[in-house]
Amino acid sequence: MEENKYGNQVHIRIGKDGIEFDAKGDSRFIEREREAFETKLLPLGVDAIARTCSTTLTQKIIESDKPTPSLLVDRSEASSDDTFTAMKDTGVERESIATFIKKHGSLTERDFVLFAAYFDEIKNGTKFFTISDVIKYYTAARRPTPSNNSSTLNQLAEKGLIIDAPNSEKKIPKPYIVSDEGIKYIQLYKPKQDHEKKGNKTNKPHPKVKSVYSDIDTQELHLDNYPAIKSLKDFKDKMMMVMYIITKEKKGEWFTIADVFVLLTDIFGENATVNQIKGVFKREKLWFRVENVEGNDKSVKRRIQNKGMEFAESLITK
């Protein structure tokens, strides 16, 4: 409660029922304080509470016989501890994306995108983000931009850490929001210790491989029409389905071993080795047509023939 010598009073309360503003006194004083509250404090409080507690908020103007305008945010499920945590979270106005990311240690590309999108939301009030924003996040954080951002978004969506933004149908590029599960993941995240990172050999990045498919966007592949690659158990099934999707969506029809490797690892986020790919090509020779790569007699490219297409289509009918 704040009161000056003219009898003007301002009361702002934060509790389990939400955020409440109360002012009385001179009409010009009330109007000035109310405008400041509605334009500065209230939006920050509402957005912070919504993000932290994942509840639906409504604003109510409370009328009374007194000449005291009051505005209440109804949030019956939130505790006072949650409210104070939410208000504290708005302190990111003194941080940049680089300092915010640095606090969480060495992040994988997937975690970086998730944390950067969350930072953008709580600092700038963004309602959604797209693959174009992801590129901006890397630039702002002074971090090298990978070529497989669409694969990263696809992995985050498959894990439920991000979801489609409301009314995202037919919008290009596709907009996303950080999900409740994604916010929990961020809040519970613990930076990995150096010895943990050194001991985890599976996270070692593979050498950069050049491919005509390196920049392909999975949002253009209509993946809802096909089985999820991760749902397929055998490596051969995954490899054939990826090649089939690229062919059917008219994004290409010829594949070198390097092309298949990039598609599986960088674009669809699957584990693969060159020997696994060679093995499928060797065992299923009748599924592919083989030609030499132009200008390189030692390298070949392959196109799926009818038997290979039929095998992939059988995976869809399953």
Side-chain angles (χ1 to χ4, degrees):
M1 174 77 73
E2 180 181 339
E3 183 175 359
N4 60 22
K5 62 182 180 179
Y6 301 106
N8 297 326
Q9 295 182 14
V10 176
H11 175 214
I12 298 175
R13 184 178 67 82
I14 301 175
K16 65 180 182 179
D17 294 326
I19 306 169
E20 185 176 0
F21 170 85
D22 225 13
K24 58 184 177 181
D26 179 78
S27 59
R28 285 180 296 179
F29 168 82
I30 293 174
E31 188 61 30
R32 183 179 72 247
E33 294 299 321
R34 174 180 176 141
E35 182 179 354
F37 172 75
E38 292 183 6
T39 58
K40 296 180 180 179
L41 177 59
L42 182 62
L44 290 174
V46 171
D47 287 346
I49 293 170
R51 283 190 299 271
T52 304
C53 304
S54 306
T55 58
T56 303
L57 305 181
T58 57
Q59 298 182 15
K60 298 179 182 178
I61 301 293
I62 299 181
E63 302 290 347
S64 68
D65 295 334
K66 301 178 182 179
T68 304
S70 177
L71 203 156
L72 177 70
V73 179
D74 183 15
R75 194 175 66 82
S76 59
E77 296 181 13
S79 68
S80 57
D81 289 340
D82 290 337
T83 304
F84 281 110
T85 300
M87 298 301 294
K88 185 178 179 181
D89 283 346
T90 62
V92 296
E93 68 271 6
R94 296 184 182 274
E95 286 200 77
S96 68
I97 189 172
T99 59
F100 180 76
I101 294 299
K102 187 176 181 180
K103 292 193 306 183
H104 295 89
S106 179
L107 297 178
T108 64
E109 302 301 344
R110 187 187 70 194
D111 285 347
F112 170 80
V113 171
L114 180 67
F115 278 66
Y118 178 70
F119 173 84
D120 190 23
E121 180 184 343
I122 61 177
K123 179 173 183 178
N124 303 316
T126 53
K127 302 301 182 184
F128 58 83
F129 69 98
T130 68
I131 192 171
S132 300
D133 296 309
V134 171
I135 296 173
K136 294 177 183 177
Y137 298 155
Y138 277 98
T139 302
R142 296 178 178 85
R143 182 173 173 130
T145 306
S147 61
N148 60 331
N149 292 316
S150 58
S151 174
T152 300
L153 290 174
N154 195 40
Q155 291 176 44
L156 287 169
E158 286 184 353
K159 290 182 174 294
L161 300 177
I162 63 174
I163 57 176
D164 295 352
N167 304 316
S168 62
E169 297 81 3
K170 299 182 180 179
K171 289 186 179 180
I172 299 177
K174 191 173 185 178
Y176 297 93
I177 60 174
V178 180
S179 68
D180 291 345
E181 198 65 31
I183 293 175
K184 289 180 184 177
Y185 178 84
I186 293 170
Q187 292 174 338
L188 298 175
Y189 183 84
K190 293 182 179 180
K192 295 179 176 61
Q193 300 298 321
D194 289 341
H195 66 83
E196 289 179 319
K197 291 182 287 184
K198 291 178 181 178
N200 191 355
K201 296 181 180 179
T202 58
N203 288 336
K204 184 178 179 181
H206 59 72
K208 192 67 177 176
V209 178
K210 293 183 180 179
S211 168
V212 295
Y213 299 108
S214 293
D215 296 322
I216 201 166
D217 186 353
T218 57
Q219 305 303 325
E220 300 175 357
L221 298 179
H222 305 100
L223 296 180
D224 291 342
N225 296 330
Y226 308 97
I229 303 302
K230 290 190 179 298
S231 70
L232 302 174
K233 294 182 179 180
D234 295 335
F235 176 80
K236 179 176 70 175
D237 296 353
K238 295 183 179 186
M239 173 176 155
M240 292 303 299
M241 183 53 61
V242 166
M243 296 175 68
Y244 177 82
I245 291 172
I246 298 300
T247 303
K248 291 294 288 185
E249 296 298 326
K250 297 184 173 16
K251 299 300 180 182
E253 58 178 348
W254 289 98
F255 306 89
T256 64
I257 290 175
D259 290 333
V260 177
F261 181 79
V262 167
L263 283 167
L264 283 165
T265 59
D266 289 353
I267 305 305
F268 284 88
E270 295 293 328
N271 294 321
T273 66
V274 170
N275 287 336
Q276 285 178 306
I277 297 168
K278 287 181 178 179
V280 175
F281 284 147
K282 183 178 180 179
R283 290 191 297 272
E284 309 297 347
K285 292 180 180 179
L286 298 180
W287 289 2
F288 308 99
R289 176 179 173 181
V290 183
E291 290 187 4
N292 286 328
V293 175
E294 295 178 8
N296 187 352
D297 293 338
K298 295 182 179 180
S299 181
V300 298
K301 57 185 179 180
R302 292 173 173 81
R303 183 176 69 185
I304 306 179
Q305 297 200 107
N306 288 340
K307 288 189 176 182
M309 297 292 280
E310 290 171 1
F311 173 80
E313 288 167 356
S314 70
L315 299 175
I316 298 175
T317 58
K318 289 182 181 179

